[in-house]
């Protein structure tokens, strides 16, 4: 093994949140009474980390920003060995960020910024007896954000596992931070789920190591697991089937199951409605957006490694997609609480996110990334509207009835929510949602999974009913809506939340008018 090469510029998206955490800790030691400073630092860190992803966004397909690279010697085929049909790197690199990775990191940065704005504390001074909740919350947010940035670019099992849990465990603390009974129940359920998920992931990682003899999640390791070896540099590859093939297949199944918990895929979804409803709206927003980006990014690392094996499709993912779409939509139709409705919407949308991954190919990976970005943008806007409603009407802004006549009370806010809901439903004017569904279905049709495409189309129709059920009271013109108009002015500052809503809405409008922005970003 030769010396380790480090490009700190490529690592900036992960280093910036860490620097933000250190700054918050130091300032909190000096002056623990500050309430808004930790959130200001967290917001600036999210912005800076998002900007740091820019060099990777313009990379051509097949190119990547690589760092933490070493040159390996040995009999197992490394990433740099010339393999027919494989474009390997000259060295084995622990960090690789291509355009897809950088796009997911950018989406995580913008979503984290919106979450910080939604969670912005009130301006009243902190009493001496109060705890240090604001610094703790800001640090937990940045920790989970940093884990998301790392897991998207990690290419070795150790970093991949640690970063994935780093993106998950702080969210448990965020849920429990409010101390309410529902929050504790949601945090405990997510903790138990995370432990089961981690056990499956560790077992899958161990089997990967056994099958491939390599700690790397790359094409060279996958080929070694299939029995490819070379006796001398430059010699032709020789393959023979053995037990490692079955072990590698079992490893992939366990890794997918472990990540299914984090993606809220059925039947690994039970924690989702409890955790969402128990958490504050900003934390639920983080769960629905940044946490899902981390989970999909981790799954893509695995699937990109095995795509070299030429698998025609993954039936397990097809089954998870169908179950998630159907169960999520049916349960969402029964919800009157908008947060629980969005929780079950997450389950249904997770099915759409993994749907293209039945095609183990670059097309499937990028299609899944495209749909995830459309879902994240629209869901962020919907949660921002909910957060603003709860700030104005604490305790009564979570029911569908609270949105009766919103179009008359605040046309621009109702317009933002309508655009978000139609995007999730795949209806005009939410063009980006329709484009996302078409892009998600393309790899399915290309691979010949016609029955899966038919079921997905049926669920798309069912999803329309889910979101129109919420949209109906928003555009209502009934007499009851006019009565509500005079009673919806609540106390408290809303300016920062309005900024968060305006930012997320602006992004949604741009990608709805020009959906090719997202398509070109992801190649």
């Amino acid at each position: 093994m030769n010396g380790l090469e480090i490009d700190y510029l490529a690592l900036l998206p992960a280093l910036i949140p860490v620097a933000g955490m250190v700054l918050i800790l130091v300032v909190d030691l000096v002056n623990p009474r500050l309430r808004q400073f930790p959130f200001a630092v967290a917001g600036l860190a999210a912005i800076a980390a998002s900007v740091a992803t820019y060099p990777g966004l313009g990379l051509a397909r097949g190119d990547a920003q690589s760092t933490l690279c070493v040159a390996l010697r040995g009999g197992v085929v490394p990433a740099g060995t010339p393999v027919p049909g494989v474009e390997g790197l000259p060295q084995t690199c622990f960090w690789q960020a291509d355009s897809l990775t950088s796009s997911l990191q950018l989406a995580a940065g913008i979503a984290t910024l919106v979450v910080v704005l939604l969670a912005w504390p009130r301006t009243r001074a902190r009493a001496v007896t109060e705890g240090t909740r604001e610094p703790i919350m800001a640090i937990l947010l940045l920790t989970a954000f940093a884990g998301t940035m790392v897991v998207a670019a990690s290419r070795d099992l150790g970093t991949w596992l640690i970063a994935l849990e780093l993106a998950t465990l702080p969210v448990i603390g965020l849920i429990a931070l409010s101390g309410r009974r529902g929050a504790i129940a949601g945090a405990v359920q997510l903790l138990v789920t995370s432990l089961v998920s981690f056990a499956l992931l560790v077992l899958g990682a161990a089997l990967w190591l056994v099958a491939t003899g390599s700690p790397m999640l790359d094409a060279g390791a996958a080929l070694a697991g299939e029995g490819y070896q070379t006796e001398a540099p430059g010699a032709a590859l020789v393959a023979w089937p053995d037990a490692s093939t079955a072990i590698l297949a079992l490893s992939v199944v366990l890794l997918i199951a472990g990540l299914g918990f984090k993606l809220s895929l059925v039947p690994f979804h039970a924690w989702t409605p409890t955790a969402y409803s128990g958490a504050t709206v900003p934390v639920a927003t983080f769960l629905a957006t940044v946490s899902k980006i981390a989970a999909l990014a981790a799954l893509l690392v695995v699937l990109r490694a095995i795509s070299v094996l030429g698998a025609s499709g993954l039936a397990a993912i097809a089954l998870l997609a169908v179950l998630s779409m159907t169960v999520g939509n049916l349960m969402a139709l029964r919800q009157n609480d908008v947060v629980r409705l969005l929780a079950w919407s997450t389950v249904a949308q997770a099915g759409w996110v993994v749907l293209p991954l039945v095609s183990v190919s670059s097309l499937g990976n990028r299609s899944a990334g495209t749909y995830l970005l459309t879902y994240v943008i629209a869901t962020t806007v919907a949660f921002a509207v909910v957060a603003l409603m709860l700030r104005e009407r604490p305790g009564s802004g979570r029911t569908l009835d609270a949105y009766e006549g919103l179009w008359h009370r605040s046309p621009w806010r109702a317009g933002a929510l309508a655009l978000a809901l139609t995007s999730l439903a795949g209806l005009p004017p939410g063009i980006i949602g329709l484009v996302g569904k078409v892009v998600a279905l393309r790899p399915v049709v290309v691979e010949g999974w016609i029955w899966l495409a038919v079921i997905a189309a049926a669920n798309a129709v069912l999803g329309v009913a889910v979101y129109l059920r919420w949209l109906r009271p928003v555009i209502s013109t009934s007499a009851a809506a006019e009565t509500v108009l005079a009673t919806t002015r609540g106390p408290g500052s809303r300016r920062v939340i309005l900024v968060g809503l305006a930012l997320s809405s602006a992004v949604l409008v741009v990608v709805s008018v020009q959906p090719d922005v997202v398509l070109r970003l992801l190649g």
Side-chain angles (χ1 to χ4, degrees):
M1 180 183 296
N2 293 341
L4 185 67
E5 297 181 5
I6 302 178
D7 180 2
Y8 290 100
L9 183 62
L11 295 174
L12 274 182
L15 294 178
I16 291 174
V18 175
M21 286 186 280
V22 173
L23 179 59
I24 292 173
L25 285 172
V26 171
V27 173
D28 189 56
L29 287 175
V30 176
N31 187 355
R33 295 172 61 93
L34 296 177
R35 292 177 57 85
Q36 296 183 339
F37 178 79
F39 282 83
V41 173
L44 291 175
I47 294 173
S50 300
V51 173
T53 64
Y54 177 77
L57 298 176
L59 293 174
R61 185 177 300 183
D63 294 337
Q65 280 188 308
S66 303
T67 185
L68 302 177
C69 299
V70 294
L72 299 178
R73 299 171 183 172
V76 177
V77 179
T81 300
V83 180
V86 181
E87 296 181 3
L89 296 171
Q91 295 172 307
T92 295
C93 297
F94 295 86
W95 176 285
Q96 294 178 31
D98 59 5
S99 59
L100 175 57
T101 299
S102 298
S103 299
L104 294 178
Q105 291 175 331
L106 174 62
I110 296 175
T112 300
L113 174 61
V114 174
V115 169
V116 169
L117 295 175
L118 299 185
W120 197 271
R122 297 176 187 269
T123 56
R124 65 180 178 83
R126 175 192 288 167
V128 177
T129 56
E130 285 190 57
T132 55
R133 178 175 298 177
E134 287 78 17
I136 293 175
M137 185 173 183
I139 290 173
L140 290 176
L141 279 173
L142 286 179
T143 303
F145 174 47
T148 301
M149 303 299 265
V150 173
V151 75
S154 61
R155 292 298 182 270
D156 66 288
L157 285 171
T159 305
W160 184 82
L161 279 172
I162 294 173
L164 185 56
E165 292 310 304
L166 199 63
T168 304
L169 295 180
V171 185
I172 300 173
L174 287 171
I175 297 174
L177 202 57
S178 66
R180 295 179 291 107
R181 179 178 298 179
I184 299 301
V188 170
Q189 193 161 349
L190 180 55
L191 175 61
V192 173
T193 301
S194 297
L195 292 175
V196 176
S197 171
F198 185 66
L200 291 174
L201 291 173
V202 170
L203 182 56
L207 291 178
W208 178 280
L209 187 60
V210 170
T212 66
S214 171
M216 305 303 298
L217 288 164
D218 59 19
L223 286 171
E226 285 291 292
Y228 288 94
Q229 287 190 346
T230 179
E231 297 180 356
L237 289 172
V238 180
W240 60 88
D242 56 15
S244 64
T245 301
I247 296 175
L248 181 62
L250 180 58
S251 168
V252 173
V253 170
L254 289 173
L255 292 175
I256 291 174
L259 293 170
F261 283 101
K262 301 181 186 300
L263 279 167
S264 298
L265 293 170
V266 176
F268 314 111
H269 68 289
W271 64 273
T272 307
T274 305
Y276 279 47
S277 60
T280 61
V281 172
V283 175
T285 307
F286 192 90
L287 267 173
T289 56
V290 182
S291 294
K292 295 301 175 284
I293 293 173
L296 179 66
L299 180 58
L300 291 180
V301 171
V302 176
L303 296 183
R304 293 168 104 177
I306 66 172
S307 62
V308 68
L309 302 180
S312 59
L314 294 177
I317 288 183
L319 179 61
L320 293 177
V322 168
L323 289 176
S324 299
M325 289 179 190
T326 307
V327 174
N329 284 327
L330 291 176
M331 293 301 297
L333 281 171
R334 303 177 54 188
Q335 305 304 315
N336 189 50
D337 184 312
V338 294
V339 175
R340 292 185 70 90
L341 187 152
L342 286 171
W344 285 108
S345 167
T346 298
V347 175
Q349 297 292 340
W352 279 96
V353 169
V354 301
L355 179 67
L357 298 179
V358 297
S359 172
V360 187
S361 63
S362 175
L363 175 62
N365 296 339
R366 293 180 181 273
S367 298
T370 300
Y371 194 89
L372 179 68
L373 292 190
T374 64
Y375 156 77
V376 165
I377 296 169
T379 301
T380 301
V381 174
F383 269 112
V385 174
V386 174
L388 190 56
M389 289 288 291
L390 287 175
R391 180 62 64 94
E392 293 179 344
R393 306 175 62 185
S396 62
R398 291 182 58 143
T399 63
L400 292 176
D401 294 338
Y403 295 82
E404 190 81 19
L406 182 62
W407 188 268
H408 299 276
R409 304 198 301 273
S410 179
W412 82 271
R413 194 189 314 173
L417 181 58
L419 185 59
L421 295 178
T422 53
S423 296
L424 291 171
L427 294 174
I431 301 299
I432 187 61
L434 178 60
V435 172
K437 283 182 167 55
V438 172
V439 170
L441 284 171
R442 184 184 174 194
V444 178
V445 176
V446 169
E447 291 287 348
W449 297 67
I450 304 301
W451 65 270
L452 183 58
V454 171
I455 295 177
N459 272 281
V461 176
L462 188 59
V464 170
V466 171
Y467 301 110
L468 290 185
R469 183 168 170 263
W470 188 355
L471 187 60
R472 185 199 62 79
V474 172
I475 61 177
S476 172
T477 57
S478 64
E482 300 294 336
T483 304
V484 175
L485 177 62
T487 62
T488 54
R489 299 297 180 186
S493 173
R494 304 172 300 159
R495 293 180 181 177
V496 181
I497 296 180
L498 284 171
V499 172
L501 176 57
L503 173 62
S504 54
S505 299
V507 175
L508 182 57
V509 169
V510 169
V511 297
S512 295
V513 175
Q514 293 288 339
D516 60 310
V517 172
V518 176
L519 299 179
R520 291 179 180 177
L521 192 66
L522 294 173

